[in-house]
Amino acid sequence: MEANWRWLGVAMIAPIAWGSTYFVTREWLPDSPIWGAAVRALPAGLLLLALVRRRPRGSWWWKSAVLGTLNVGAFFVLVYAAAQLLPTSIASTIMATSSVAIALAAWAILRERPGLLRLLGATVGIAGVALMLLGTTTAADPRGVVASIAAMVMSSIGFILAKRWNGEVGILPSTAWQLVFGGLALIPVAIIVEGPPPRVDAAGLAAYGYLALIATALANVAWFAALQRLPSGTVGLVGLLNPVTGVLLGVFVAGEVLEGRQLAGLALVLLGIAAPLVIGALPRRQRPRPRAGARTQSAAECTMAA
């Protein structure tokens, strides 16, 4: 169980790093999200590729392309569309449902049955995210809702396919290849939609470096490594730390103030994550074994009866 807690700690790196991207992007990067996604994914993939020095072979050419599309390329484009059409609160709440979608995808693809306790925890966590982020007068563009749901479903399936296939080549090569494929696929889309790459100052370069090295290379390796060693539903629960990180950064760095409703939502998210993990770690009650004397007496009685 101690090893599981260590891998839970590794899994937390990803959603915490991903949650910080909202703040970093808003504060220091230009409004060119597709170029930002490409600059974030491709250098991260090339860095990991330089470390492993392996190229895809056989079926891993198309598997890398599939994973790169689901987890990076098309995913980033759909997230961009959702961000353009929806308030951040609604988009984040829809993405939070991936905690359930990942468990269901693992059930369908890997026959990994989702635990009832983890599903209940995910439901509580999603309700907490909605309470924390959603306002009473927020309008939702149906196109943005469709894009956000598609991004959530696509990444959930991509994560589980990566879990199924990563054992063939290892976490680092798989993560490197899908980031490279996804980043390369984004570049022509960025040129068509946004034109030439935007100019950035020193702070922007540092922000891109953080997104590529920490929020992409390190975060993706940590996520896929934990997903390989833990139940998918458990890792999906940990993913709820993503919107929590974004909210807390707004409080501690930007000086935002949380209302009572948001505090209650934050408490629900943390409860939904922690309760299934803590309860699941409790030792199960074992059947009491009969004492040796009792077994001996029973054998003697049987002998006398015979």
Side-chain angles (χ1 to χ4, degrees):
M1 188 61 207
E2 183 179 349
N4 287 348
W5 285 111
R6 286 200 299 269
W7 283 110
L8 279 171
V10 171
M12 290 178 186
I13 294 172
I16 291 173
W18 292 335
S20 69
T21 61
Y22 308 119
F23 181 81
V24 172
T25 301
R26 184 174 64 247
E27 292 295 320
W28 292 295
L29 293 179
D31 186 18
S32 301
I34 303 181
W35 269 117
V39 173
R40 172 184 170 184
L42 188 55
L46 291 174
L47 172 65
L48 294 177
L49 198 58
L51 294 176
V52 298
R53 298 184 180 182
R54 291 173 60 187
R55 62 181 180 84
R57 293 182 179 179
S59 65
W60 265 95
W61 283 106
W62 67 264
K63 288 178 180 177
S64 298
V66 169
L67 295 179
T69 299
L70 294 176
N71 295 332
V72 183
F75 172 72
F76 280 144
V77 172
L78 288 169
V79 167
Y80 163 58
Q84 292 290 97
L85 297 169
L86 290 177
T88 303
S89 57
I90 293 181
S92 298
T93 301
I94 293 174
M95 290 303 297
T97 60
S98 64
S99 55
V100 173
I102 288 173
L104 296 179
W107 192 7
I109 297 172
L110 302 178
R111 298 295 185 264
E112 189 178 296
R113 187 177 296 275
L116 178 60
L117 193 60
R118 289 193 292 268
L119 288 178
L120 289 175
T123 303
V124 171
I126 293 167
V129 171
L131 186 62
M132 185 171 57
L133 297 179
L134 294 182
T136 56
T137 59
T138 305
D141 188 318
R143 296 172 299 168
V145 172
V146 170
S148 192
I149 291 175
M152 180 272 297
V153 172
M154 185 174 292
S155 62
S156 298
I157 294 173
F159 291 155
I160 299 306
L161 286 177
K163 179 172 183 174
R164 179 175 183 175
W165 292 338
N166 280 348
E168 300 175 14
V169 293
I171 301 298
L172 281 178
S174 170
T175 306
W177 297 336
Q178 60 184 290
L179 286 172
V180 169
F181 273 93
L184 289 174
L186 282 168
I187 290 177
V189 178
I191 294 173
I192 294 170
V193 176
E194 297 177 350
R199 295 181 179 179
V200 293
D201 55 14
L205 289 175
Y208 275 135
Y210 169 80
L211 292 182
L213 296 177
I214 306 301
T216 304
L218 175 62
N220 282 37
V221 169
W223 181 258
F224 289 123
L227 194 61
Q228 202 71 23
R229 292 166 175 82
L230 294 173
S232 303
T234 298
V235 180
L237 268 182
V238 174
L240 288 168
L241 290 173
N242 186 326
V244 170
T245 302
V247 169
L248 292 181
L249 276 176
V251 172
F252 293 112
V253 180
E256 299 174 4
V257 178
L258 294 182
E259 301 175 355
R261 173 178 59 84
Q262 294 170 311
L263 288 172
L266 179 61
L268 274 180
V269 175
L270 296 178
L271 176 65
I273 296 172
L277 300 180
V278 172
I279 294 174
L282 295 176
R284 296 182 180 180
R285 182 179 298 176
Q286 296 181 348
R287 276 184 167 183
R289 295 181 178 179
R291 291 173 299 177
R295 288 198 301 269
T296 304
Q297 183 179 4
S298 175
E301 288 173 354
C302 290
T303 303
M304 291 176 64

